[in-house]
Amino acid sequence: VCIHRVRSCSSIQFIKSKYVCVFDKSALKFSHHQRLFRTSAVSCGQIVQFKLSDIGEGITEVTVKEWYIKEGDSVSQFDSICEVQSDKASVTITSRYDGIIRKLHYNLDEIAFVGKPLVDIEIDAAKGVAPAEDVVETPPMSHEEHIHQEIKGHKTLATPAVRRLAMENNIKLSEVVGTGKDNRILKEDILNYLAKQTGAILPPSPKAEIIPPLPKSETGPAAPKDKARKIPVPVSRPIVFSGKDKTEAITGFHKAMVKTMSAALKIPHFGYCEEVDLTQLVQLREELKPLAQLRGVKLSFMPFFIKAASLGLLQYPILNASLDESCQNVTYKASHNIGVAMDTEQGLIVPNVKNVQVCSVFEIASELNRLQSLGFAGQLGTSDLTGGTFTLSNIGTVGGTYAKPVILPPEVAIGALGKIQVLPRFNDKGEVFKAQIMNVSWSADHRIIDGATMARFSNLWKSYLENPASMLLDLK
């Protein structure tokens, strides 16, 4: 029997084979059956490896912090796949295909590398984008294209916990109306949307069961009437401790801190401390807080500190500069991008307020509110965390008074603000009065900044805060 051509059941192509001569059915079945059929094609779809694209800023590896999908889920283009964190920012990765998730290549908190497969997606064979035997490689996206996809896929803001809740209930965030600030979707919005779809009535929040105290007769054995009775001494037993040491890799923002602080050790630091009387500023803020709240902005002391620093940098631009690695050139920065150190669950991060020199105190407060909300949600972008020229660190929120702040290269100066304390002080008449005192600690790069320059800048900054009305004369 001569077999010329055999049609494959999983491919529309004809597969040629050599002429094969056999003499019985068993020979045909066992000798040549498997050789005549292609098994590489997938009958129900095509598996595509979605690789982690270049997210810019020279980042080569990231940590997988959150999966928004699981194996077997259906995804569409621009749907969120996962959230990754580099040593600079958190980024949401979106899908470029319509299909079904077949494999996740990483677990939570594992390191994913740029250019390596992130997930396997089964797409419709009729819409295939490559031959069945080939693996499709996702081309690197430019930074602008990634931002476009991220914005197009996220019309509203939501925390990773809210996204997980929506994913578990098969709810699209684009269909939910957010009631939080800037239309942020809250957990209550997801629950209310789910109740409307199912017609269910949400149960009230569970309350802790209050257990009444036991009667005196049941609280324990009655005290012995015989006071001379000896108290039994417990028998000492050897302490058994079964804990083990645990080793973890340094990732994310902690890894960035290691690099930055190692570079900072090469800078000779000059320290300078001062005391500031904020009595008038405290009164001014109390008057302006209700007005800011009417505009939807929380007004703290930090916007005043930042604006006063910017006015001081106009007089002493050397503090808003950078020094090259060879220490041959100094670059004076035109923009005052003042960073604010924040203590978050992800670690210490320093986003910055851009172009403070052209911003009002209210505009600075509004931008700080945005950075703080994104910082605590772990959603700060790369643009928010890079480009800083001067930094203020508010250690007073933790409770400290003085500090020795470390400069963040390539910056050349940083200030640490202590807590505000009510302390007795003397006025011009020698009378004791109650003053609102704050301590500030400055560090400067002593290679290009001398102590007198740092002291003069501190005195100017102090004068603006002790007499807030004087800031009006220099505001632009």
Side-chain angles (χ1 to χ4, degrees):
V1 180
C2 295
I3 299 177
H4 298 279
R5 297 174 183 174
V6 178
R7 181 189 295 270
S8 172
C9 64
S10 61
S11 175
I12 63 174
Q13 299 178 353
F14 289 98
I15 304 173
K16 296 180 180 180
S17 64
K18 297 181 179 179
Y19 290 93
V20 181
C21 295
V22 294
F23 298 95
D24 54 18
K25 296 182 178 179
S26 60
L28 174 64
K29 179 177 181 181
F30 296 105
S31 300
H32 303 283
H33 179 268
Q34 294 181 352
R35 292 170 51 189
L36 299 177
F37 291 92
R38 293 175 57 184
T39 59
S40 60
V42 182
S43 60
C44 58
Q46 177 180 346
I47 301 297
V48 174
Q49 285 189 335
F50 178 62
K51 298 185 178 182
L52 179 62
S53 302
D54 185 8
I55 58 180
E57 298 294 333
I59 297 173
T60 59
E61 61 182 43
V62 294
T63 303
V64 179
K65 302 303 294 184
E66 191 80 18
W67 283 109
Y68 300 136
I69 45 87
K70 59 182 181 295
E71 294 182 1
D73 286 354
S74 298
V75 295
S76 302
Q77 293 187 41
F78 308 115
D79 283 355
S80 299
I81 290 182
C82 65
E83 180 179 350
V84 299
Q85 184 181 79
S86 68
D87 57 355
K88 297 181 179 179
S90 296
V91 179
T92 300
I93 305 299
T94 57
S95 174
R96 300 182 69 244
Y97 306 101
D98 299 335
I100 301 174
I101 301 297
R102 290 306 181 192
K103 181 180 179 181
L104 306 181
H105 285 269
Y106 300 98
N107 296 321
L108 292 179
D109 295 328
E110 285 188 349
I111 302 297
F113 297 92
V114 172
K116 299 297 182 180
L118 193 63
V119 295
D120 289 353
I121 304 178
E122 180 181 328
I123 63 175
D124 188 356
K127 302 179 181 179
V129 294
E133 294 86 3
D134 297 335
V135 175
V136 176
E137 178 178 355
T138 304
M141 287 188 297
S142 64
H143 184 61
E144 292 77 8
E145 180 184 355
H146 178 78
I147 293 177
H148 171 72
Q149 289 192 7
E150 186 173 355
I151 294 176
K152 188 170 182 179
H154 298 280
K155 296 182 180 180
T156 54
L157 297 176
T159 62
V162 174
R163 296 181 190 275
R164 177 184 289 274
L165 180 62
M167 179 193 69
E168 293 175 349
N169 293 276
N170 296 323
I171 297 176
K172 293 184 178 180
L173 292 178
S174 59
E175 299 177 357
V176 181
V177 178
T179 60
K181 184 178 179 181
D182 297 330
N183 297 326
R184 182 182 296 274
I185 297 178
L186 307 178
K187 179 180 179 182
E188 292 77 9
D189 300 329
I190 298 294
L191 297 178
N192 292 333
Y193 178 85
L194 184 62
K196 292 179 181 179
Q197 296 296 320
T198 60
I201 300 177
L202 296 178
S205 301
K207 297 181 179 179
E209 182 180 358
I210 300 177
I211 302 176
L214 297 174
K216 294 183 179 180
S217 59
E218 300 179 7
T219 55
K225 296 182 180 180
D226 187 5
K227 296 183 179 180
R229 184 178 179 181
K230 296 182 179 180
I231 300 177
V233 179
V235 179
S236 61
R237 297 179 180 178
I239 299 176
V240 179
F241 180 69
S242 59
K244 296 182 179 180
D245 296 343
K246 181 174 66 173
T247 302
E248 295 181 351
I250 299 177
T251 59
F253 294 123
H254 295 283
K255 190 172 184 179
M257 184 185 298
V258 171
K259 296 179 181 178
T260 304
M261 294 299 102
S262 298
L265 286 178
K266 303 177 182 179
I267 301 175
H269 285 55
F270 169 79
Y272 181 81
C273 300
E274 183 59 282
E275 175 182 288
V276 186
D277 185 357
L278 300 181
T279 304
Q280 293 187 32
L281 181 61
V282 171
Q283 296 175 357
L284 177 63
R285 174 177 171 267
E286 290 298 324
E287 296 176 1
L288 298 179
K289 278 178 60 177
L291 298 177
Q293 290 178 354
L294 291 177
R295 300 184 185 183
V297 174
K298 180 181 178 182
L299 182 63
S300 63
F301 290 102
M302 186 58 72
F304 297 97
F305 300 152
I306 293 176
K307 188 59 182 180
S310 178
L311 294 175
L313 293 177
L314 293 174
Q315 302 296 324
Y316 299 95
I318 187 62
L319 297 177
N320 196 59
S322 63
L323 184 65
D324 63 359
E325 294 183 358
S326 60
C327 299
Q328 299 296 323
N329 300 290
V330 177
T331 302
Y332 294 88
K333 304 293 185 178
S335 298
H336 296 173
N337 300 337
I338 299 181
V340 180
M342 294 182 182
D343 181 25
T344 67
E345 295 181 357
Q346 293 81 25
L348 177 65
I349 57 177
V350 189
N352 58 83
V353 181
K354 299 290 193 299
N355 299 314
V356 177
Q357 75 279 2
V358 294
C359 294
S360 65
V361 173
F362 176 78
E363 290 171 339
I364 297 172
S366 179
E367 178 66 4
L368 273 180
N369 286 181
R370 185 187 71 86
L371 294 175
Q372 288 172 345
S373 60
L374 292 179
F376 290 119
Q379 298 177 349
L380 282 170
T382 304
S383 60
D384 296 324
L385 296 169
T386 56
T389 61
F390 187 87
T391 299
L392 291 177
S393 177
N394 188 7
I395 63 169
T397 56
V398 183
T401 53
Y402 288 97
K404 186 181 179 181
V406 180
I407 299 172
L408 302 178
E411 299 174 17
V412 295
I414 185 175
L417 312 175
K419 65 179 180 180
I420 300 176
Q421 305 176 85
V422 179
L423 299 173
R425 290 296 183 266
F426 292 94
N427 59 17
D428 296 338
K429 300 179 181 180
E431 300 171 343
V432 178
F433 70 98
K434 182 173 65 175
Q436 304 279 351
I437 301 298
M438 182 189 74
N439 301 112
V440 59
S441 305
W442 303 103
S443 289
D445 189 338
H446 213 2
R447 294 175 297 183
I448 59 173
I449 300 174
D450 54 62
T453 301
M454 189 74 255
R456 292 188 182 100
F457 169 83
S458 179
N459 292 336
L460 180 58
W461 181 79
K462 173 183 176 180
S463 66
Y464 283 130
L465 298 178
E466 291 187 340
N467 303 281
S470 64
M471 297 175 63
L472 298 175
L473 298 177
D474 296 326
L475 291 179
K476 297 180 181 181

